[in-house]
Amino acid sequence: FLPHLVASLEQVEQTYIMVKPDGVQRGLVGEIISRFERKGFKLTGLKLFQCPKELAEEHYKDLKTKSFYPTLIDYITSGPVVCMVWEGVGVVASARKLIGSTNPLQAEPGTIRGDLAVQTGRNVVHGSDSPENGKRETALWFKEGELYEWTPAQAPWLME
Ligand code: IDP
Ligand code: MG
């Protein structure tokens, strides 16, 4: 461990980020990954994955009563997704800012949804909404052996 990283260890969060099927089909995987990568967060998990219906239902269980829930489950299971875990201090809220508002027409230019999408039902990317959900969703989508702890070479140039 580098001393400057130990100091902030308890502040390190995880967020579950997913390129949804429309993002994969539209060839936006590299573009989306690169926004988190360039910001300076650490990638600890990454895979292409066909989401089974049961997992989609568990992931979106809080939205079960919404009218759009059945079409949301169809959308998320309609093709492969790219699952990622990004780690860092403040990563959960920062990733939500990088992603932008749920409705892409209301998302600011410069955000992923603001730049790359037009409809809520095709908003290209998911990001956890709290550190607790970051942990919950990471555990839901990744097995233990699929996550990696490592120290990026750039760490001392990102954190003082
Ligand atoms: P979030 O993805 O910005 O956190 P949530 O409210 O958690 O937004 O909704 C989860 C996902 O459900 C959205 O990203 C979007 O794909 C879908 N969704 C939310 N509201 C609507 C809607 O009104 N119509 C269609 N799909 C929706
Ligand atoms: Mg949400």
Side-chain angles (χ1 to χ4, degrees):
F1 277 109
L2 301 167
H4 62 276
L5 292 177
V6 173
S8 58
L9 209 55
E10 70 269 21
Q11 296 167 259
V12 173
E13 300 169 355
Q14 291 178 317
T15 190
Y16 174 66
I17 302 294
M18 174 168 67
V19 183
K20 294 177 175 180
D22 50 333
V24 175
Q25 297 291 343
R26 292 176 57 207
L28 298 174
V29 172
E31 165 80 33
I32 291 169
I33 292 178
S34 110
R35 292 187 181 214
F36 296 98
E37 197 175 36
R38 286 184 304 173
K39 172 74 175 170
F41 294 125
K42 178 167 77 171
L43 184 66
T44 61
L46 173 70
K47 65 181 177 186
L48 185 71
F49 185 65
Q50 174 64 52
C51 176
K53 193 166 185 233
E54 304 71 51
L55 178 57
E57 288 172 344
E58 179 62 22
H59 176 78
Y60 283 125
K61 66 179 178 191
D62 292 348
L63 300 174
K64 209 154 203 154
T65 58
K66 304 282 184 188
S67 60
F68 59 81
Y69 178 78
T71 55
L72 174 60
I73 300 303
D74 286 348
Y75 163 46
I76 292 304
T77 58
S78 64
V81 294
V82 171
C83 311
M84 293 174 261
V85 177
W86 290 89
E87 203 174 277
V89 176
V91 70
V92 173
S94 179
R96 295 279 291 186
K97 280 191 186 168
L98 290 173
I99 288 170
S101 301
T102 304
N103 181 344
L105 290 181
Q106 278 153 24
E108 294 296 326
T111 65
I112 295 169
R113 287 168 175 167
D115 288 348
L116 304 173
V118 287
Q119 270 207 318
T120 304
R122 296 287 185 271
N123 61 4
V124 301
V125 65
H126 166 83
S128 306
D129 63 7
S130 67
E132 295 67 40
N133 276 333
K135 284 197 190 108
R136 178 183 86 88
E137 292 169 4
T138 295
L140 199 58
W141 290 84
F142 283 91
K143 297 172 197 144
E144 229 171 273
E146 293 177 330
L147 297 168
Y148 296 88
E149 264 320 315
W150 58 292
T151 303
Q154 62 174 353
W157 299 101
L158 274 162
M159 305 292 285
E160 61 176 4

